[in-house]
Amino acid sequence: MSSHKIIIAIDGYSSCGKSTLAKELGKKLGYNYIDSGAMYRAITLYFLRNHIDYTNPVAVLDAIANINLGFVFNEQLERSDIELNGEDVEPYIRDMIVSEKVSEVAAIREVRAFAVAQQKRMGRKKGIVMDGRDIGTTVFPDAELKIFMTADPDVRVMRRFQEMYATNPQITIDEVRHNLELRDYIDSTREESPLHRADDAILLDNSNLTKEEQLEIVLEWVKDRATNPRVTQ
Ligand code: CDP
């Protein structure tokens, strides 16, 4: 049976390795990988830089009208970097100052409508892997493969701490833990598209899996879904 291009939606809590898996899948399958969290982070960076009062919906709509987001492939690092109005902002969007505000910004209805509309357009041709919080529930409810990732909270904190420590040796484990707990709480309890597992998403707990092991498992799922398409009603 021939295989065809599908949409892979990966959702889950903060720092459970969604982006790592999604990036590797994209590379292996020749699919476009989109980090939807980078879009919310870039919007947050714009709001912070321009002192936008994001509690005011009019100010939010005005600001959004001036935001252009895009992805460019960074050959050297083999990843897609996000551009905010033509500037590669990848070096700034993972700073703690952005992480502290991003979940509040991502909870705003107008912000989500803006980001989700772009994300849906990106999936028109299939052959895409996107990770985030609402990809299987809102952005691509008909995705052929949906994965809900989770990992032990302590494992997640240590992974993110090591990542951040590389560029910011001042960072503490407590700061990282507090930020992950806060974001998970806001993301799961917000009114607009809260983070939750879609009924048809496969649960992947990677607390005790290496990157290679998780990739191998998921590639089997992809093979299955790409050769045995589900009948959509
Ligand atoms: O890398 P990490 O899992 O820590 O977060 P991220 O994917 O960079 O996303 C940052 C934040 O953006 C999340 O905590 C959510 O508040 C928001 N987000 C969202 O609301 N919906 C998405 N599809 C992706 C991210």
Side-chain angles (χ1 to χ4, degrees):
M1 197 177 281
S2 69
S3 89
H4 64 287
K5 289 194 167 186
I6 63 169
I7 292 182
I8 305 171
I10 305 179
D11 290 302
Y13 297 102
S14 301
S15 306
C16 55
K18 300 180 298 292
S19 303
T20 306
L21 172 66
K23 188 178 155 189
E24 286 173 359
L25 279 173
K27 216 158 116 184
K28 195 91 186 169
L29 299 166
Y31 280 20
N32 205 1
Y33 158 51
I34 300 295
D35 173 358
S36 71
M39 298 172 71
Y40 293 99
R41 286 176 179 273
I43 295 168
T44 305
L45 181 68
Y46 181 91
F47 285 7
L48 289 171
R49 280 181 174 176
N50 294 282
H51 310 287
I52 307 296
D53 171 11
Y54 54 76
T55 59
N56 174 353
V58 176
V60 167
L61 281 174
D62 279 352
I64 284 175
N66 292 314
I67 296 180
N68 244 304
L69 298 178
F71 285 90
V72 285
F73 193 69
N74 181 328
E75 303 276 348
Q76 206 184 350
L77 299 172
E78 289 192 311
R79 64 171 195 208
S80 285
D81 282 356
I82 189 149
E83 285 191 340
L84 168 63
N85 295 334
E87 175 193 356
D88 182 341
V89 289
E90 200 66 39
Y92 316 111
I93 59 167
R94 306 198 194 268
D95 287 352
M96 197 43 109
I97 185 166
V98 173
S99 296
E100 273 169 359
K101 297 288 175 216
V102 64
S103 287
E104 282 173 41
V105 170
I108 301 169
R109 179 181 312 141
E110 292 78 8
V111 167
R112 300 207 72 78
F114 171 71
V116 169
Q118 276 198 23
Q119 291 155 5
K120 283 179 185 276
R121 281 199 295 276
M122 293 172 185
R124 276 199 197 128
K125 292 189 184 147
K126 303 233 174 181
I128 187 169
V129 45
M130 191 178 285
D131 79 303
R133 303 293 187 285
D134 61 340
I135 310 305
T137 51
T138 303
V139 180
F140 299 129
D142 294 328
E144 288 83 354
L145 177 59
K146 298 182 188 177
I147 300 168
F148 191 86
M149 283 180 74
T150 175
D152 181 274
D154 289 337
V155 172
R156 296 198 274 126
V157 169
M158 282 321 287
R159 283 180 186 158
R160 184 50 57 99
F161 172 71
Q162 279 159 2
E163 218 171 84
M164 294 190 83
Y165 185 81
T167 51
N168 175 14
Q170 259 78 50
I171 196 88
T172 66
I173 294 178
D174 277 349
E175 264 178 283
V176 173
R177 183 184 306 278
H178 173 73
N179 182 252
L180 295 195
E181 284 172 357
L182 181 69
R183 284 197 291 126
D184 283 347
Y185 176 75
I186 299 177
D187 294 346
S188 316
T189 55
R190 69 186 177 212
E191 263 177 48
E192 294 291 321
S193 310
L195 166 66
H196 71 95
R197 178 182 169 187
D199 291 340
D200 51 354
I202 310 176
L203 189 69
L204 177 67
D205 183 334
N206 70 1
S207 311
N208 298 306
L209 294 177
T210 64
K211 285 184 202 170
E212 293 74 23
E213 286 166 339
Q214 73 175 14
L215 182 63
E216 209 175 303
I217 293 170
V218 176
L219 282 172
E220 277 304 308
W221 295 344
V222 174
K223 204 154 87 185
D224 177 58
R225 295 300 164 88
T227 47
N228 302 302
R230 286 182 301 174
V231 181
T232 41
Q233 281 147 18

